Every structure is written in structure tokens, then in C-alpha cells.
Amino acid sequence: MARINSNTELEELRQEILSKRDQNKPRIAVCAGTGCLASGAAKVIAALKEEIKKQGLNADVDIKETGCPGFCERGPIMVIYPEEICYLQVKPDDIPEIISETIKERKVIDRLLYTDPTTGEKVTHESEIPFYKNQKRLLIGTNINIDPKSIEDYLAIGGYRALAKALFDMTPEQVLEEVKRANLRGRGGGGFPAAKKWETTRNVPREPKYVIVNADEGDPGAFMDRAVLEGNPHSVLEGLVISAYTIGSHEGFIYVRQEYPLAVENVDIAIKQAEEYGFLGQNILGSGFDFIVNVHRGAGAFVSGESSALMTAIEGKVGEPRPKYIRTAVSGIWERPSNLNNVETLANVPLIINNGAEWFTSIGTEGSKGTKIFSLVGKVNNTGLVEVPMGMSLREIIYNIGGGIPGDKKFKAVQTGGPSGGVIPEQYLDTPVDFDELTKLGSMMGSGGMIVMDEDTCVVDVARYFVDFLCDESCGKCIPCREGLKHMREVLNNIVEGKGNEGDIELLEELSRLMTKASLCALGTSAANPVSTTIRYFGDEYQAHIKESKCPALVCKELVSYYIEPSKCQACMICLRNCPVEAISGGKNQIHVIDQAKCIKCGVCFDACPTRFGAVIKISGEPVPASLPEKERSLVRGKK
Amino acid sequence: MNNGQEELLLLLQKAQNEFGYLSEESVAELAKSLALPISDIYGVATFYSFLSTKPLGRNVIRICKSMPCYLKNCQIIIDTVEKEIGIKPGETTPDGKFSFQLTNCIGACDKAPAMMINSDVYDDLTPGKISEILKACK
Ligand SMILES: Cc1cc2nc3c(=O)[nH]c(=O)nc-3n(C[C@H](O)[C@H](O)[C@H](O)COP(=O)(O)O)c2cc1C
Ligand code: SF4
């Protein structure tokens, strides 16, 4: 491929690519993102290729291995064009039928379609599936149309048009002004206005300047950056080059976490292609602007996602934060002005340049514009990635898109913002989701993790979990965070083990205040959020643990006992055989009894007891009823 | 300032890929070639959870212990793996076949519980699936 040397050449190439493509030719898109690969997409794709060859259709059908469209839970996902027929959970065995029925005969296979759980109706087209219908997928919606390893696919959907527009039709000042008017706020956690940061770095009179993509995505429960980078790496590159042009930087870095090998692979390929085509390197598109980019891989450290830590890591040092008396925008990598943006932030930039700030600000709320991708996980029916306009309510996201809570359970809370965020209870379900509203509730948008919890979740245990996570991940450089977290963990461990004391809640609150005020980096200053929000909204559950040794959600092991209801036990012996410590006595026609002294509370009997009997129950906060005397244990059947 | 130290993490990752872990020799060699104190190299090598200064097994199992997996009972998966290969998290089997670790989010939360073996992701795990997956490991 010859380098492209002008805007005209770019548009000519685009026309050439498009003219070669027949929109009516059957095209089978299969998601080859990490989620679908883990559910067997590779085998599906192999079977597909083989079957097409076998049926002599090589020339008549295109196969596209694409990035993630979001509905990972139902993967492997296949969409057949031009009809846009969407098949879910496709297996290699389904392939021959798909080829002979759908491709050859244009017949839809009902069995592979999405079934609406409420109406039982089948849904044929991708865009009509409720999970997708209620979203606004500006960033991840095109994933199913492009093979991330093909730059032509990106060009076919208008790729690098924004870069050409910026380079040829706009001055850096004008680009900056456009992004400023769009009020693009950082998607990586803080929601800091991107243009403001760009301006700071731009105005520092020192060279060289660096621009960096933060793809360290370490929040537990978050994987939207992976989907963007893996599924559409060129969109991030395009945003990055535009930011570099605006700031006046000629070298950039992409810092990707170790856990995302496919993202690294796709980014590496994309960079090579972009260099070949002239979107990266010397004299980009013949504009005279130079820019190169390097990929760095993290090695598993949550704190290295923090801006100053990430820059230290790129220097090859221990990826710990440093005090930010001078901001990294002014003095970052090797003490040079360095601008850091999140993957999703940068992916928004080409959209803004192409469509203008007015268009962008027409989406979203007063203070938060555009869309946001969330990873909706936990106790919710449809898990996966959802992209919605800012301002959609939590209820709409969890119920209309997520399809509500599985198994008729009650919603209890949703955790947003990862370990720096908080737990939001039911009474705030109608809160519009944007940067400011979530902060008001004591949580935050964070990077977009959304973990749904049902009534079977103990919020004290959840708080303990996050503190435990942060305790392990704190770099230990400053005392409030290092010691504060340790102390919190101890107090919380005591509470969930039933050893809590009067005054523990006040102690946790005091530690929270201290850590928030005195920690060096945002890991420490926000670390208390999971604790303080659970205290704020579920204080009574803390009290129950401390005062009554009771876990209302029946989760905390030390506070729960297992008991077999004599009136329900059918003496089926299943639990008795499964108990690993032989704590259950009984026999044929003998009502079973748990020896509380032997029981290790593993819960095997609870899971093993057939649901139609439901004889094993959990008890917390009250004494276990005395077992039936031996001679009263014979089961009298037929009597209720 | 720019003495090649920015390559350090990459070089450590390479050495780990090649030898399975960072031996004293490879650390000393790196220190020499980058003209850095050995302690600096160890500082970086021990900071990241994906780097190891102890020999690791051929198959490194990393079970995710993050919230979404925790809510979907990853404990039972941890217990099953423990039982199957007879070691606890943090340990390596004597035959060098498996190392077993717990890890933070690997981004497979939509199909929790999940784990990685080397760089492959396995999700939607059940105790039943474990033995089959482990059997396929060489
Ligand atoms: C402990 C910690 C971890 C972080 N991890 C990430 C991360 O994985 N990805 C990310 O984009 N931002 C992360 N951030 C936020 C970054 O410090 C920074 O604000 C962000 O990358 C800036 O990009 P943005 O302005 O485009 O959002 C983290 C912050 C802290 C304190
Ligand atoms: S707040 Fe925590 S993670 Fe941040 S510098 Fe201090 S000890 Fe390290």
C-alpha cells in the first residue's frame, strides 16, 4: 500500500474501498472479542470457514471477525448482513444449518434468535433486541461492522476523516476550541475536562511533549476500554493523533494492561497499518505533522493506572504515584509536559471533530455530554457492555437494558465507580447517571463499572471486599492510605466475623475522613467511598452485625448457621452424603439433623437440598432450634 | 535520564516469558546492561503481580477474585482447583506443571466466575468444567 499524501488521496482511497464492496453480498460477522472467544467463537469461525468452502460459497459470502458488540453474555454472537439477522450462542454444530438455511435460502432459524423473556417473542434483528434498542452506541455500535485487524474496514466507515479535517481544515487552536465547546470530560474516572488538560500541556513552553493513552483499566468489574481498544483500535489512534496535533506533541504512548493480550495484538497491528498508510509517522497525510507512538504493557498493578504512577511506570521505574504539586500535564514523563487520557475519552474525539460540538452537546445532561459505556455485571439478567447517553437513570439501565434481577430476587444496590466508587441503594434508582449526580450520592462515575447486587448480597461484606482489594493494591508510599486501609480491613473483618464492637462505625468514619484528606493519590483519597456509602445507606446492617451478631443477607459465614426444618425434611439423604465433614445424621426415613458443633458452614447441604423440599435453611442472629429428640425422628409420610 | 530504563519493564516481561521467571542471574544481567543498581530492578520486578522472582509452573492459573466473580461464588472454583491440583493459591506443583494464583479483575465479569491460564481466558466456570480444562493443560 502506498502512503496517502493528501486529503484528496484519502477520499479517493475510501471511494475505492467502498466501490469494491457489494452491500447486498451476504456477510457473516462473528464477534472475535475476548468474551466471545472464551465462549468458543474461534471454533465457530473455523467451522464457518470450512462449511463455506465445502458448499463452494467462498466467492459468495464474506466472513468478518469483529470486535465486541457488547452482549457478551450471549456469545458467541453472529450477525448476518444485509438482513442484520442476529444469532446468539452459536455453536459449531449450528453452522451447516446456518449456511444452507439462512445464507442459501434466506430463511431465519428461530432457535438461534433472541427470545424476549417476558413475551416469549423471537427477535430477528440486532437493533430490535431490547438490550441494544435502549442504548445509544456511538462508540461500540460499529464494532460488529469492522474487523479490528483491517484498516480498510475502519476507512470504510469514515475512519481518519476527522484527522484529515483537523490537519488540513483546522488550526490546533480551533481543534482545542471545538473539544472545549463539546465539554468532553475524561472517561477514566475523574471526569476532568479534556480540553483544559490539553491546553495546560500545550501552553507549557517546553519540548518534547508527550501524549499517553491510559488503557490500564484496573477497576474490578470494568472492561469497556478493552472492548474499544480490541474492537476498534484505529478510533483510539485517530483520537490520539488529533490530541497530539492540538497539543504539539510528536511522541505518544499507549499503556495497556497485561491481562489484555488481544488488545495489545490489535493495537500493534493497527499502529503498523496506520504507519504504512501515513496516518502515523513522518509528515502525516502530507500535512507536515510528525507523530510516533509506542506501546507499553503493564504487568498487573492497579495503582499504576493513576496518572503519575503510569508515567513513572513508562519510565521503567516502579509504577507508584508521586506527589502532584506540579501536575503531570506540566511535568510528566521524564519531567516533560505529558497529557494522559483514557481510551474512551480519545475514542470520542474523532466523533466530535466529524460532527461538531453542537451535535455532541445535544446528547447528555447539563454538565456531562455525550455517551458513556458501562460494564453491567453482577446480579443482572443481561450482563455486558452498554453505551447510553449521559443522564439515563440507573433504573433504565438495570431494568430496560439489563432486563432486571435474575430469579425473582429483589434489587438491593448497585456499585458504581469501582473501588473508588460507592454503593447506591434502591431509593436512588431514578437518579440520572452523570458525573455530578453520582458524586452527589457519595459514589462516582469512575470508569464505568456497574455491579448490580441483589438481596442475597451483604453490603458490609462488599465494603470489606473493596477495602481488602485496595489494601493489597495500595503502593504503601503514604501512611494514611497504607495504614488506614489496613486498620479498616481489620475492623471490617471483625464485624463480618461477629466480633464487632460498639464504636466501630464511628471509627470507620473517622478513618474515612482521615484517608480522604491526607492520602497522596486518588487511590487513597477515594478508598473509603465503598465504606462510607454503605454506612450511609445501610447503617442498620452494620448495626445488626455488631449488636445482634446477625447478617441480614445471610452471607457472613461466621454469623450464619444451617438448620434442617424437620417438617420439610424428606429424608432423601442427599445432603447427608454431600456433607464433607459428616455433620449430618439421619438415614432412610429418618429426619436429618445437623450437628452444629461439627458443621463448618460450607453451605453444601443448602445447595444440595432439592428446591422442592427446601428443608435446609440459614439462620442468623438467633439461636438454632434444638434438634428433635432421637426417637421422634422417624419420618411419617403422607402426613403434612 | 533516558538511559534505556524505559525498556526495563519490557525486558523483564521478555525474560519472564523466556525463562518462566526472573532468576537472580537474569536480574543481575539486566542491571549490568542498563547500568542500574540490582535493587532498582528488584523494586520493579516485585511490584507487579505478573512478574515473578520464583520459578512458575508451565501453566499459570489465575482465578479472578474480584467483586463480580465473588458475587458469582468464585470461592467454589478456587476450592475445586485446589482439590484438583493439590496446592493452594501462591504455590506451584512439585512437578512444575501448575502455578496457582488469585488475581484481580481480568475483564471477563460478564461471564463470571472466570480465570486465566497463561494468556487464555476461561469463563462461566462451574466446578464441573474445571477438571476438563485442567486435563487439557500440558
Ligand atoms: C488508583 C487509580 C487507578 C486508576 N486507573 C485508571 C485506569 O485504569 N484507566 C484510566 O483511564 N484511568 C485510571 N485512573 C485515572 C487516571 O489517573 C486519570 O485520571 C485518567 O487516566 C485521565 O484520563 P481522562 O481525563 O481521559 O479520564 C486511575 C486513578 C487512580 C487513582
Ligand atoms: S494514596 Fe495509597 S496508593 Fe496512593 S500513594 Fe498513598 S499509599 Fe500509594
Side-chain angles (χ1 to χ4, degrees):
Chain A
M1 167 68 214
R3 273 181 63 99
I4 307 167
N5 286 310
S6 68
N7 199 357
T8 327
E9 278 180 38
L10 172 61
E11 288 314 313
E12 278 168 10
L13 173 66
R14 201 187 312 283
Q15 287 320 314
E16 193 190 316
I17 294 170
L18 287 173
S19 68
K20 277 191 301 196
R21 298 193 169 192
D22 175 2
Q23 289 307 317
N24 294 318
K25 185 175 172 188
R27 173 161 49 93
I28 307 176
V30 186
C31 170
T34 298
C36 281
L37 284 179
S39 16
K43 284 197 188 117
V44 170
I45 293 166
L48 194 57
K49 286 182 177 159
E50 201 186 298
E51 188 65 27
I52 287 182
K53 204 162 130 202
K54 207 164 96 191
Q55 300 211 22
L57 292 170
N58 265 346
D60 308 315
V61 189
D62 286 334
I63 302 177
K64 205 165 271 303
E65 296 172 35
T66 75
C68 170
F71 205 5
C72 322
E73 194 218 345
R74 304 293 175 92
I77 296 174
M78 176 183 284
V79 184
I80 298 172
Y81 295 92
E83 294 90 345
E84 201 205 286
I85 301 164
C86 181
Y87 289 152
L88 303 169
Q89 290 170 320
V90 178
K91 285 182 223 45
D93 293 348
D94 299 322
I95 298 296
E97 195 183 346
I98 293 176
I99 301 296
S100 25
E101 291 294 311
T102 310
I103 297 296
K104 282 191 166 164
E105 305 287 331
R106 298 279 201 244
K107 272 196 237 150
V108 175
I109 306 167
D110 273 2
R111 155 174 67 84
L112 296 170
L113 296 175
Y114 176 82
T115 315
D116 193 307
T118 41
T119 61
E121 252 172 68
K122 298 278 179 190
V123 183
T124 309
H125 299 117
E126 190 199 25
S127 51
E128 289 160 5
I129 296 175
F131 177 78
Y132 290 125
K133 199 168 65 188
N134 296 304
Q135 299 189 38
K136 189 172 182 72
R137 299 189 299 151
L138 302 177
L139 298 168
I140 52 173
T142 47
N143 275 7
I144 196 75
N145 293 315
I146 52 182
D147 172 351
K149 295 185 169 64
S150 153
I151 190 169
E152 288 208 353
D153 278 7
Y154 185 58
L155 291 171
I157 60 160
Y160 290 107
R161 186 176 275 149
L163 175 63
K165 184 173 173 187
L167 291 176
F168 295 108
D169 304 339
M170 297 168 89
T171 61
E173 292 80 4
Q174 283 171 323
V175 179
L176 187 67
E177 194 49 37
E178 198 67 28
V179 177
K180 199 182 273 175
R181 284 199 302 123
N183 194 9
L184 174 64
R185 294 174 67 175
R187 284 5 185 194
F192 196 80
K196 222 173 185 172
K197 242 176 9 187
W198 292 12
E199 196 168 24
T200 309
T201 307
R202 184 184 141 77
N203 288 341
V204 181
R206 234 174 331 135
E207 303 280 337
K209 294 176 182 169
Y210 299 110
V211 285
I212 310 149
V213 184
N214 191 343
D216 200 37
E217 194 162 61
D219 282 5
F223 52 103
M224 40 287 139
D225 293 348
R226 186 192 74 201
V228 174
L229 208 55
E230 220 175 75
N232 194 354
H234 284 289
S235 68
V236 182
L237 284 181
E238 187 176 5
L240 179 68
V241 186
I242 297 174
S243 78
Y245 170 70
T246 315
I247 289 167
S249 156
H250 303 288
E251 186 171 358
F253 298 89
I254 303 181
Y255 190 85
V256 194
R257 70 195 299 234
Q258 171 97 22
E259 291 86 335
Y260 291 174
L262 186 58
V264 175
E265 183 186 325
N266 289 356
V267 168
D268 279 339
I269 295 174
I271 290 177
K272 254 200 210 98
Q273 291 171 336
E275 281 168 351
E276 250 171 64
Y277 279 69
F279 300 118
L280 278 178
Q282 302 290 314
N283 192 15
I284 292 175
L285 291 177
S287 68
F289 178 68
D290 308 331
F291 181 71
I292 55 165
V293 58
N294 314 291
V295 176
H296 272 244
R297 295 184 70 166
F302 174 68
V303 72
S304 297
E306 192 272 342
S307 54
S308 66
L310 186 142
M311 296 192 193
T312 326
I314 288 179
E315 291 173 7
K317 299 185 191 134
V318 176
E320 288 174 344
R322 63 156 176 77
K324 286 190 277 188
Y325 312 116
I326 308 174
R327 269 173 296 148
T328 49
V330 176
S331 174
I333 303 182
W334 298 301
E335 290 164 24
R336 301 280 167 60
S338 306
N339 177 74
L340 175 71
N341 279 122
N342 165 264
V343 169
E344 194 184 333
T345 314
L346 289 169
N348 270 298
V349 171
L351 296 178
I352 293 171
I353 299 302
N354 275 328
N355 303 303
E358 276 70 35
W359 166 81
F360 193 75
T361 49
S362 71
I363 307 160
T365 60
E366 182 64 34
S368 311
K369 301 298 184 188
T371 60
K372 177 77 193 85
I373 312 174
F374 293 97
S375 54
L376 189 60
V377 297
K379 301 290 184 73
V380 59
N381 276 314
N382 304 328
T383 55
L385 291 181
V386 306
E387 181 180 350
V388 296
M390 297 269 192
M392 188 181 264
S393 72
L394 285 165
R395 188 187 301 281
E396 284 171 285
I397 297 176
I398 295 168
Y399 285 90
N400 298 359
I401 298 174
I405 317 299
D408 292 327
K409 295 277 179 184
K410 241 175 81 88
F411 171 87
K412 181 164 188 176
V414 54
Q415 210 278 346
T416 69
S420 326
V423 176
I424 300 171
E426 193 178 5
Q427 68 258 40
Y428 295 108
L429 267 181
D430 292 308
T431 306
V433 178
D434 74 4
F435 289 109
D436 312 308
E437 292 295 326
L438 291 183
T439 309
K440 270 189 225 157
L441 295 179
S443 182
M444 56 183 222
M445 175 92 89
S447 60
M450 211 173 251
I451 308 176
V452 181
M453 300 166 189
D454 66 5
E455 57 188 317
D456 292 340
T457 317
C458 168
V459 289
V460 185
D461 187 44
V462 166
R464 184 197 58 87
Y465 161 81
F466 279 110
V467 167
D468 196 48
F469 168 82
L470 290 167
C471 214
D472 286 347
E473 292 299 326
S474 159
C475 77
K477 194 164 179 168
C478 69
I479 296 167
C481 167
R482 183 184 68 218
E483 297 303 322
L485 279 167
K486 252 197 219 149
H487 203 145
M488 267 190 171
R489 171 158 76 178
E490 207 181 299
V491 175
L492 287 165
N493 272 337
N494 279 340
I495 297 179
V496 299
E497 283 168 16
K499 293 182 257 171
N501 294 312
E502 197 80 36
D504 275 355
I505 296 180
E506 292 73 21
L507 181 59
L508 287 172
E509 284 173 330
E510 194 186 326
L511 285 167
S512 299
R513 276 194 298 275
L514 184 91
M515 285 158 57
T516 309
K517 273 217 183 94
S519 296
L520 183 61
C521 86
L523 186 147
T525 56
S526 61
N529 284 348
V531 177
S532 42
T533 48
T534 44
I535 292 181
R536 179 158 150 199
Y537 300 124
F538 298 95
D540 50 340
E541 289 200 21
Y542 277 84
Q543 296 290 3
H545 281 75
I546 296 170
K547 293 204 175 126
E548 304 161 44
S549 292
K550 175 177 179 171
C551 174
L554 302 171
V555 171
C556 297
K557 207 168 154 179
E558 307 295 330
L559 302 182
V560 169
S561 308
Y562 291 87
Y563 173 69
I564 301 174
E565 286 259 22
S567 62
K568 289 188 180 163
C569 177
Q570 296 298 316
C572 70
M573 316 246 298
I574 295 180
C575 64
L576 187 149
R577 278 196 221 106
N578 276 297
C579 174
V581 291
E582 298 178 5
I584 302 176
S585 54
K588 228 172 155 194
N589 292 326
Q590 281 286 307
I591 290 171
H592 304 348
V593 170
I594 299 175
D595 180 345
Q596 298 295 334
K598 277 194 194 159
C599 173
I600 55 163
K601 305 183 182 183
C602 67
V604 164
C605 52
F606 185 80
D607 295 330
C609 183
T611 31
R612 60 182 192 281
F613 304 157
V616 181
I617 57 165
K618 295 191 206 179
I619 295 177
S620 182
E622 45 196 285
V624 179
S627 4
L628 279 185
E630 202 106 18
K631 49 183 185 307
E632 288 171 32
R633 290 190 193 167
S634 24
L635 181 71
V636 190
R637 289 190 194 272
K639 228 171 78 180
K640 282 266 159 87
Chain B
M1 169 196 58
N2 241 354
N3 57 357
Q5 186 171 0
E6 73 270 22
E7 299 286 325
L8 176 56
L9 188 52
L10 185 73
L11 293 172
L12 287 170
Q13 284 162 341
K14 269 194 185 148
Q16 164 128 350
N17 276 345
E18 194 170 329
F19 305 110
Y21 78 111
L22 302 167
S23 62
E24 276 181 36
E25 293 81 49
S26 30
V27 169
E29 220 168 276
L30 270 174
K32 211 163 146 196
S33 72
L34 295 174
L36 287 169
I38 287 189
S39 58
D40 277 18
I41 313 273
Y42 269 111
V44 175
T46 52
F47 182 74
Y48 296 101
S49 65
F50 271 71
L51 298 177
S52 172
T53 50
K54 280 189 288 186
L56 289 178
R58 290 190 299 286
N59 302 286
V60 183
I61 306 172
R62 294 186 168 92
I63 300 188
C64 176
K65 58 166 183 185
S66 279
M67 199 74 227
C69 286
Y70 181 73
L71 288 176
K72 298 259 170 97
N73 202 5
C74 61
Q75 191 55 45
I76 198 158
I77 304 299
I78 298 171
D79 294 344
T80 312
V81 170
E82 265 181 25
K83 227 189 285 168
E84 289 269 339
I85 60 177
I87 53 171
K88 296 214 168 306
E91 298 175 351
T92 298
T93 51
D95 61 359
K97 185 171 174 188
F98 291 109
S99 284
F100 180 20
Q101 301 175 353
L102 301 183
T103 183
N104 288 321
C105 188
I106 54 172
C109 335
D110 49 331
K111 287 197 183 168
M115 67 176 180
M116 281 176 104
I117 299 183
N118 299 331
S119 55
D120 294 325
V121 174
Y122 299 85
D123 58 14
D124 227 344
L125 296 172
T126 55
K129 284 187 188 172
I130 295 291
S131 71
E132 203 179 311
I133 295 171
L134 294 181
K135 237 178 253 155
C137 292
K138 298 216 172 65

